[in-house]
Amino acid sequence: MPKLDRPWGTYHYLDEGAGPLVVLLHPLAATGELWRRLIDELTPSFRVVAPDARGHGASTWDGTQFTVPDLADDVAALIQHLDSGPAHLVALSMGGCTAVATAIRSPELVGRLVLADTTADYGPQKTEAWSERAERAVAVPRAKQLRFQVERWFSTGFIEQDPAEVERISKIFVDTDSEAHAAACRALGAYSDLGRLGEIKAPTLVLVGEDDYATPPRMAQTIHESIAGSTYLVLYKTRHMSLVENPTARLLAARHLSGLDVLRD
């Protein structure tokens, strides 16, 4: 994997295809390889880069606590390093928070945005809730955390229809460093860009699973209502990892990246 040296360690990323630059930002306790299906669908038309966040996957990490804006700084540094920006950002969950923070703090580096199953603020109890999740991330064996995660990630229908993909994503989760997972939980608990969403000028597509109870549709609707000109779509019978589970979501993302109207056939 190519890499970029950062003050906290080495930032590794996948880099495939050719064309306009698309950067894919993965969810909590995952890696860039989570995006394999979308990477393969986009590379005929785009250069697709999928980094591993600090301490996730192949990326190293010095163990210091980080924030979501810190993750956004990493993305900005990567786009500048690639010298192919501005980049379109496609992002899910934690990656969506990072994409929002990047679009606000480095707008000149961002083209189009796809924000899936994410939020700019996890609500009034976020600090306590994410602190508890951080504690579980290190206290509970990773394989024993899977049931809670998989039921949030995917609908029952998808789990039954595509067990190989569920297993692949599950392995990525189990292999994630628990301390990095915990640090990312704390970062999400401290994050809020709710009051700055109106600063985002990039053409934005907001997607959310109808049955996503990790970041429910009301959170996605808040993003949509705050970003002028954005498009908002709720995906039927889909849970949190919409861009993994739902092929229509990936098609809509590709259309948006190509500058096409996602609401037209």
Side-chain angles (χ1 to χ4, degrees):
M1 293 177 70
K3 62 184 181 179
L4 171 64
D5 290 333
R6 299 287 290 147
W8 47 263
T10 305
Y11 199 26
H12 286 261
Y13 56 94
L14 300 171
D15 188 350
E16 302 180 19
L21 177 61
V22 175
V23 177
L24 308 181
L25 302 177
H26 65 72
L28 176 67
T31 71
E33 191 58 45
L34 172 133
W35 296 108
R36 177 46 52 195
R37 288 184 175 177
L38 185 58
I39 291 170
D40 292 344
E41 290 167 5
L42 291 178
T43 47
S45 302
F46 297 96
R47 180 186 182 185
V48 181
V49 169
D52 294 348
R54 301 183 188 200
H56 291 62
S59 290
T60 63
W61 170 54
D62 61 6
T64 57
Q65 182 59 47
F66 52 83
T67 66
V68 171
D70 290 335
L71 297 178
D73 287 345
D74 295 337
V75 174
L78 177 59
I79 296 169
Q80 292 171 321
H81 169 73
L82 296 169
D83 197 25
S84 297
H88 304 316
L89 303 183
V90 179
L92 174 64
S93 193
M94 180 183 81
C97 297
T98 304
V100 166
T102 305
I104 289 169
R105 291 163 180 79
S106 301
E108 73 285 359
L109 298 178
V110 177
R112 291 177 169 268
L113 278 175
V114 178
L115 302 175
D117 303 273
T118 193
T119 183
D121 189 306
Y122 279 92
Q125 304 302 318
K126 62 188 178 184
T127 302
E128 296 83 355
W130 280 106
S131 292
E132 291 175 4
R133 288 189 64 180
E135 291 173 5
R136 291 201 304 271
V138 295
V140 179
R142 299 203 65 75
K144 290 188 176 182
Q145 298 178 44
L146 268 179
R147 182 175 179 180
F148 169 80
Q149 297 291 348
V150 170
E151 290 177 352
R152 289 163 70 87
W153 293 339
F154 302 123
S155 67
T156 301
F158 183 78
I159 292 169
E160 294 173 350
Q161 293 162 16
D162 201 343
E165 184 69 350
V166 174
E167 177 61 26
R168 188 181 75 85
I169 302 301
S170 296
K171 186 177 187 307
I172 290 173
F173 175 85
V174 169
D175 289 345
T176 298
D177 178 75
S178 294
E179 293 292 344
H181 180 181
C185 287
R186 291 189 289 269
L188 293 172
Y191 175 61
S192 181
D193 267 331
L194 204 58
R196 299 188 65 183
L197 284 169
E199 298 176 31
I200 295 177
K201 306 304 179 187
T204 302
L205 172 63
V206 182
L207 300 173
V208 65
E210 174 189 41
D211 300 323
D212 181 357
Y213 51 89
T215 49
R218 61 178 172 78
M219 290 185 171
Q221 188 168 1
T222 296
I223 293 174
H224 162 59
E225 291 172 351
S226 302
I227 300 177
S230 63
T231 300
Y232 170 59
L233 293 171
V234 179
L235 301 157
Y236 182 59
K237 289 187 176 180
T238 302
R239 287 194 183 170
H240 188 56
M241 283 202 188
S242 61
L243 286 168
V244 175
E245 173 174 351
N246 193 317
T248 299
R250 296 195 298 275
L251 176 62
L252 292 169
R255 287 180 61 85
H256 179 71
L257 296 175
S258 298
L260 301 175
D261 186 347
V262 299
L263 298 179
R264 295 183 62 183
D265 292 335

